[in-house]
Amino acid sequence: MAKLYFRYGAMNSGKSTALLQAAYNYEERGQHVLLAKPEIDTKGAERIASRLGVSREVDVLIPPDAALRDLFAQYRRRAQEETGSGVACLLIDEAQFLGREQVDDLLRIVVLDGIPVLAYGIRTDFRTRAFPGSERLLELAHSLEELKTICRCGRKALFNARLVGGRFVFDGDQVAIDQLSPETITYESMCADCYLRESGGRLG
């Protein structure tokens, strides 16, 4: 039975690396996969890139208001025509940027179309609030898997702190990508202790 998988972790936990490895594993066995990511993620443009230096062009960029199951059906037909084989799996990077209805469509792709979906993303933003896509994936996924990374202090990282111009900030829009800002925006994975120390005890 096909399943919807949500593999999540803090920033720099190896999500994109794991996705690219999963794609390689399918293709090594002669199976065709589709790689997708929300188009709001302008980092890396039309590529999925891991910190290890491995990257790959995506097959599908997902517009914010797209009916995801319809979009998938179009690419699935195209893949069938071009390769002569069906799609064995749909892999999605930066799944936190999906809308709730788009995640609902992922479940429909799994259950009604019989295609496994592997979604990778982060649970919460820099204010520790859930992204809509991640929240819905936590509600619907058949399988949840945490990909772990460590904080600067060596503890398990839970949160993603935002830095603007090298300084921690705890207010602002949920989505802020470096290429869209005149200031340098970076993120740091942190444990709860270090996060609360930098935020002065603030959460959310």
Side-chain angles (χ1 to χ4, degrees):
M1 184 185 79
K3 292 183 179 181
L4 173 58
Y5 298 84
F6 183 35
R7 295 173 176 169
Y8 63 89
M11 302 280 290
N12 301 324
S13 59
K15 297 179 295 299
S16 296
T17 301
L19 183 153
L20 293 171
Q21 180 67 55
Y24 177 83
N25 291 345
Y26 271 96
E27 291 171 339
E28 189 179 35
R29 290 159 178 78
Q31 297 181 307
H32 187 73
V33 298
L34 283 179
L35 274 63
K37 74 173 186 175
E39 68 177 18
I40 191 174
D41 177 38
T42 57
K43 175 175 54 67
E46 297 182 7
R47 302 191 71 80
I48 294 172
S50 84
R51 291 182 301 132
L52 299 182
V54 181
S55 69
R56 176 170 166 171
E57 190 170 345
V58 298
D59 301 298
V60 187
L61 284 175
I62 305 167
D65 299 321
L68 191 45
R69 189 177 178 216
D70 293 343
L71 185 65
F72 171 70
Q74 294 172 21
Y75 280 87
R76 186 183 185 188
R77 284 193 297 270
R78 185 182 304 173
Q80 180 71 42
E81 293 167 0
E82 292 176 354
T83 67
S85 62
V87 173
C89 185
L90 173 61
L91 298 105
I92 299 183
D93 199 27
E94 306 293 355
Q96 70 272 8
F97 295 138
L98 296 175
R100 292 178 64 86
E101 180 59 33
Q102 290 178 325
V103 175
D104 291 353
D105 265 350
L106 293 183
L107 186 66
R108 295 182 184 106
I109 289 168
V110 169
V111 175
L112 302 179
D113 301 327
I115 304 296
V117 176
L118 280 61
Y120 296 78
I122 59 178
R123 286 184 306 171
T124 57
D125 64 16
F126 72 108
R127 301 165 300 178
T128 71
R129 295 176 185 168
F131 285 94
S134 299
E135 183 177 53
R136 192 62 174 147
L137 279 161
L138 289 167
E139 293 168 345
L140 294 183
H142 294 92
S143 175
L144 301 171
E145 179 184 346
E146 184 179 15
L147 303 177
K148 299 177 178 63
T149 190
I150 60 172
C151 176
R152 59 167 84 156
C153 69
R155 296 187 183 96
K156 175 184 167 184
L158 295 175
F159 304 127
N160 307 292
R162 178 184 290 172
L163 297 93
V164 178
R167 300 185 65 178
F168 288 101
V169 296
F170 298 93
D171 293 299
D173 294 335
Q174 185 170 60
V175 178
I177 298 171
D178 192 31
Q179 286 88 337
L180 303 179
S181 171
E183 297 185 273
T184 301
I185 298 173
T186 57
Y187 293 88
E188 182 179 341
S189 304
M190 306 185 88
C191 70
D193 287 11
C194 290
Y195 183 93
L196 288 172
R197 188 175 302 117
E198 292 292 347
S199 71
R202 291 179 59 184
L203 286 170

